[in-house]
Amino acid sequence: MRRPEPRRRGFLARLGILLTALLPAAGCAGAGALGAGGETLVIAIVSNPQMEDAVALSHRFEAQHPGVQLKFVQLPENQARAKITASVANEGGEFDAVMISNYETPQWAENGWLENLQPRIDADPGYDAGDFIPSIREALSHQGDMYAVPFYGESSFVAYRKDLFAKAGLAMPDNPTWEQIRGFAKRLHDPANGIAGICLRGKPGWGESLAPFNTVVNTFGGRWYDENWNAKLDSPEFRKAWNFYIDLVRNHGEVGASSAGFQECGNRYGRGQAAMWYDATVMAGTNEDPKSSEVVGKSGYAPAPRQRTEAGGWLYTWSLAIPKVAENKDTAWEFLRWMTGKEFVRTVGNEFGWNRVPTGSRNSTYDIPQYRKAAEAYAQPTLDAISVADQQHTMTKPVPYEGIQFLSIPEFQDLGTRVSQQLSAAIAGQKTPEEALQQAQEYAVTVGKSYQESGE
Amino acid sequence: MTARTNRLGRSALTGLTWLVALLFVFPVIWMVVTSFKHEVDAATDPPTFAFAPTLEQFTTILDRGFLPYLANSAFVTVLSTALVLLLGVPAAYALSLAPVKQTSNALGFFLSTKMLPIVAAIIPLYIISQNLGMLDNVWALIVLYAGMNLPLAVWMMRSFFLEVPTEMIEAARVDGAKLPTVLYRVILPVVAPGIAATALICVIFSWTEFFYAVNLTAAQAGTVPVFLVGFITSEGLFWAQLSAAALLASLPVMIVGWIAQNHLVRGLSMGAVK
């Protein structure tokens, strides 16, 4: 028999010492003791740059509210959405405030998951909720009461290269139609020089390609469902929009369109590889930032193209809400009014620069001279786009759902993603547009049936 | 002639080995390089090696409160691994060297707990944690990680125990050693590298676990991987920040792996009887 080898035991012992050494350090954090006597607000937010700025400024809120400590849980959009949904739906109560969008707000308000903020808003004239852009306020309301307050908002519009338009002798109309946009894309499409006529999202995902695509559907007079939840993806209007989008991006769009999303199009446009780009209004900030763009100052911004409607843009807003089960509702409201207040916009502008302020939520932001100057090229087009982004302006027929570029129903995350995969397959040429559309219609029928059966 | 071909062949093999090694290590090197860049340099296309290095990203990360997450991860990893070893090593011993009934059924049962995709169980787990008041609590993660790693540890440790030559155990018994002595003096030294290997696997799996952590924790009990994804954003540049955070996150595991490396390789390649 051999004696135990000393070196090995030595190793285990050393590992043991190392691990034990880690324990006390972890113990304090592990137990999770709160600041004595104080109140801790736990806030779940999406990790976009403007939210980062809010986190960076949160010590100011803490200074104004002694005894209150803010703790943020920052996650990327998809994880945040899943996490916040699970928590709020199961009444987990981990969060005192959550960041959600106008996709969730009407559904969750109806389900009774969110605190009605209207009484607090009404009791607080200094907060000036009348300053919110009406379309945004409407999108965050349920039966006339706001259940979430907007941090920033966006619509969609077209960025176009003024220099390329001038060179080709073209002029962008004040209110272009999709037919006109197709004409411009055709003229300016120049693969030999690596310039696409237009950059459009083709990446699958209900929040990716379906966002721009659905605005095309709307303005072409199509809809996902009629008032009785009959799927209408195979209607002539929807089919026309489907074929139009696929043809446009296949013939005059970017290379690799079926995997291009907001980021990819942004990179291309910023490097001068696209003559036009139809996407979220927040893109203007990236296009006009010398750090990320080589085409600063070369772009004009035109309203979202339309066809049969007055307007053609979408509406999206990241906003803050208080879950019904939250413990510190009063303090949470104090935080909400701080982060979505007029003063916050000015603080960000003064601290970090006027191109970083959260926009698209309050009219007053657009009256700030410093901001108007910093965002000269796109401030007014953005405000105009958001102001007309509602179902009345962007659709031709009534629909049984809320939302413009999405359907505010729980099934849409899955349904939308499936349909967008069909769209991408058609853009990539793996399927004919007609095959893909038939499949998409089948998916939509299944979801529609569940609403017909439940008699809603 | 043959000697030369042989040598040529060998250097070709060496070259190939280096190539493959580089291929595997390159992403890690790239992560390290990127973590010292400014965001703008990290986003260039084509990628660049020429840039002014900065520690900006690391300061940002520490400012954002990395340490509590690190402490949570360390606490959860160490305790769950200890729990796994405490339960798994005796279980593996029973299922290998000590004759017990229904061994293969027990082994099958252990393995079957790994067959259900976690995503299918996460909502029930969430609700159970909520009812027990264990949401956002490190102890919930410790129990779950121990459960997650236990089957693996039992299977791994069992194979190490099976490698202990029965002659050695019998010889010790003949010499009059009682069970505790046999366990501690004969079997433990032989399987020690196996225990280290098992522990390391458990450490790595617990350290990198994301799904349970993101769903069951919030502000108090968040672990490093949850902190890490917070740097991903859908608007704006984040590669340098994310790389720096990933580098900091992987350092502890790299260090533990590096310390254990020699012993692991030696232990795994060495026979008990020479």
Side-chain angles (χ1 to χ4, degrees):
Chain A
M1 191 190 116
R2 290 189 319 156
R3 303 208 124 259
E5 211 175 305
R7 273 194 65 185
R8 266 189 216 150
R9 206 165 51 179
F11 161 64
L12 278 184
R14 263 185 288 157
L15 191 69
I17 291 166
L18 181 76
L19 296 185
T20 331
L22 280 171
L23 273 177
C28 352
L34 304 182
E39 210 178 344
T40 302
L41 275 191
V42 182
I43 303 137
I45 58 167
V46 175
S47 53
N48 283 355
Q50 279 152 325
M51 290 63 148
E52 306 273 330
D53 290 345
V55 175
L57 291 171
S58 62
H59 63 273
R60 296 192 173 208
F61 177 84
E62 290 170 335
Q64 290 162 15
H65 299 80
V68 178
Q69 199 195 350
L70 299 179
K71 288 211 164 198
F72 293 92
V73 176
Q74 291 169 267
L75 290 169
E77 186 170 330
N78 288 344
Q79 269 87 21
R81 196 183 297 277
K83 167 92 192 147
I84 293 168
T85 306
S87 172
V88 175
N90 291 306
E91 304 186 335
E94 302 108 306
F95 303 116
D96 298 294
V98 292
M99 179 159 273
I100 55 178
S101 72
N102 50 329
Y103 169 73
E104 288 89 2
T105 305
Q107 299 174 43
W108 293 9
E110 178 155 0
N111 294 347
W113 296 348
L114 299 178
E115 177 78 355
N116 184 352
L117 300 179
Q118 200 63 45
R120 292 174 200 271
I121 291 170
D122 293 340
D124 195 347
Y127 181 59
D128 196 5
D131 182 35
F132 289 132
I133 302 170
S135 60
I136 295 267
R137 196 175 56 219
E138 176 59 27
L140 297 175
S141 297
H142 174 66
Q143 296 175 346
D145 290 348
M146 287 187 88
Y147 282 78
V149 283
F151 177 56
Y152 71 80
E154 63 170 42
S155 181
S156 53
F157 59 17
V158 183
Y160 64 98
R161 288 277 303 280
K162 289 186 290 190
D163 53 333
L164 297 180
F165 268 67
K167 215 165 88 184
L170 301 171
M172 178 65 84
D174 290 340
N175 222 338
T177 65
W178 274 110
E179 278 308 330
Q180 288 168 325
I181 293 289
R182 173 155 73 180
F184 298 145
K186 194 175 174 184
R187 280 283 301 279
L188 296 169
H189 193 59
D190 187 2
N193 288 314
I195 296 177
I198 186 166
C199 210
L200 281 173
R201 298 186 196 175
K203 193 187 211 169
W206 69 274
E208 282 286 0
S209 61
L210 276 201
F213 169 70
N214 273 338
T215 65
V216 180
V217 170
N218 292 336
T219 194
F220 272 62
R223 52 182 172 172
W224 281 65
Y225 294 100
D226 66 15
E227 299 98 309
N228 300 315
W229 288 102
N230 295 307
K232 287 287 176 192
L233 276 64
D234 57 356
S235 65
E237 296 87 356
F238 199 108
R239 178 175 281 115
K240 200 174 161 206
W242 181 267
N243 291 329
F244 178 88
Y245 194 88
I246 294 166
D247 285 345
L248 178 59
V249 71
R250 273 180 72 92
N251 296 333
H252 316 302
E254 72 278 15
V255 182
S258 60
S259 58
F262 178 83
Q263 291 278 7
E264 289 79 6
C265 281
N267 286 338
R268 280 167 205 279
Y269 190 84
R271 292 211 301 275
Q273 296 172 356
M276 289 184 285
W277 177 24
Y278 172 60
D279 216 306
T281 48
V282 295
M283 71 167 161
T286 326
N287 294 346
E288 304 304 332
D289 179 358
K291 276 190 191 166
S292 55
S293 167
E294 295 163 21
V295 295
V296 175
K298 292 184 180 172
S299 299
Y301 296 91
R306 51 192 191 87
Q307 199 69 17
R308 292 175 49 187
T309 55
E310 239 177 283
W314 74 56
L315 188 72
Y316 196 76
T317 164
W318 280 121
S319 47
L320 289 165
I322 303 177
K324 202 78 181 227
V325 292
E327 276 174 26
N328 309 320
K329 289 199 184 92
D330 292 332
T331 322
W333 168 249
E334 282 299 310
F335 174 75
L336 261 58
R337 83 184 289 289
W338 174 76
M339 191 165 154
T340 60
K342 284 180 188 171
E343 200 43 49
F344 182 83
V345 176
R346 291 181 179 277
T347 311
V348 173
N350 290 325
E351 286 285 317
F352 300 125
W354 289 95
N355 55 351
R356 273 166 75 171
V357 301
T359 58
S361 59
R362 286 180 170 275
N363 279 314
S364 59
T365 306
Y366 295 85
D367 297 333
I368 302 173
Q370 296 97 314
Y371 175 67
R372 285 208 79 92
K373 190 158 171 278
E376 206 180 346
Y378 56 91
Q380 196 58 45
T382 302
L383 181 60
D384 294 343
I386 295 173
S387 305
V388 289
D390 53 35
Q391 289 193 345
Q392 290 73 41
H393 287 90
T394 60
M395 294 181 177
T396 57
K397 296 187 191 116
V399 288
Y401 47 82
E402 303 268 345
I404 296 174
Q405 78 279 25
F406 53 74
L407 284 62
S408 187
I409 56 173
E411 293 85 351
F412 186 69
Q413 294 196 36
D414 181 49
L415 171 64
T417 298
R418 283 165 185 261
V419 170
S420 72
Q421 285 161 350
Q422 296 303 316
L423 184 67
S424 292
I427 289 171
Q430 293 160 350
K431 281 188 167 187
T432 66
E434 190 52 37
E435 273 171 0
L437 184 62
Q438 289 306 332
Q439 182 64 59
Q441 162 76 5
E442 269 176 45
Y443 292 143
V445 167
T446 312
V447 169
K449 270 192 186 135
S450 68
Y451 280 86
Q452 287 165 339
E453 278 158 17
S454 68
E456 279 187 46
Chain B
M1 208 44 197
T2 36
R4 232 176 92 191
T5 336
N6 223 340
R7 212 182 317 150
L8 261 178
R10 227 182 297 154
S11 30
L13 198 67
T14 312
L16 195 71
T17 312
W18 273 103
L19 198 74
V20 172
L22 263 179
L23 208 67
F24 275 83
V25 179
F26 183 76
V28 180
I29 296 175
W30 191 246
M31 173 184 84
V32 176
V33 171
T34 308
S35 68
F36 290 100
K37 288 181 175 179
H38 290 282
E39 285 299 350
V40 190
D41 294 323
T44 53
D45 183 29
T48 174
F49 267 103
F51 60 91
T54 171
L55 289 175
E56 178 195 333
Q57 311 306 343
F58 293 97
T59 9
T60 316
I61 288 156
L62 294 177
D63 283 349
R64 216 161 118 171
F66 180 50
L67 292 181
Y69 290 91
L70 192 69
N72 282 339
S73 265
F75 188 69
V76 170
T77 301
V78 169
L79 280 194
S80 73
T81 304
L83 193 59
V84 166
L85 294 182
L86 204 67
L87 298 171
V89 173
Y93 171 75
L95 293 170
S96 51
L97 298 180
V100 290
K101 287 178 186 167
Q102 304 284 348
T103 298
S104 65
N105 283 351
L107 283 170
F109 168 73
F110 276 121
L111 206 60
S112 73
T113 60
K114 297 291 282 180
M115 290 176 188
L116 182 74
I118 311 173
V119 66
I122 194 67
I123 293 292
L125 276 174
Y126 182 93
I127 293 169
I128 292 167
S129 309
Q130 185 191 349
N131 290 341
L132 295 174
M134 295 289 277
L135 277 180
D136 201 12
N137 188 316
V138 279
W139 292 99
L141 289 187
I142 289 170
V143 171
L144 286 170
Y145 289 0
M148 167 182 91
N149 287 330
L150 196 55
L152 203 77
V154 169
W155 274 77
M156 260 182 92
M157 280 313 300
R158 181 172 178 266
S159 66
F160 287 115
F161 277 121
L162 288 177
E163 276 175 25
V164 179
T166 36
E167 294 86 349
M168 261 175 64
I169 302 171
E170 278 160 13
R173 292 237 171 91
V174 169
D175 285 350
K178 297 241 165 20
L179 184 62
T181 319
V182 174
L183 283 179
Y184 190 70
R185 302 233 122 156
V186 180
I187 298 178
L188 182 67
V190 178
V191 298
I195 295 181
T198 310
L200 186 68
I201 292 276
C202 293
V203 164
I204 291 174
F205 284 175
S206 308
W207 190 266
T208 54
E209 203 286 330
F210 174 68
F211 193 71
Y212 285 129
V214 76
N215 282 294
L216 300 177
T217 71
Q220 298 296 334
T223 56
V224 167
V226 180
F227 176 74
L228 208 58
V229 296
F231 288 97
I232 301 174
T233 165
S234 43
E235 294 167 6
L237 307 172
F238 61 86
W239 285 113
Q241 263 187 24
L242 185 63
S243 298
L247 179 62
L248 288 183
S250 47
L251 270 185
V253 179
M254 281 194 212
I255 292 169
V256 174
W258 182 66
I259 295 174
Q261 165 174 273
N262 288 336
H263 302 275
L264 288 175
V265 174
R266 210 160 59 101
L268 292 175
S269 59
M270 192 170 61
V273 185
K274 282 186 182 153

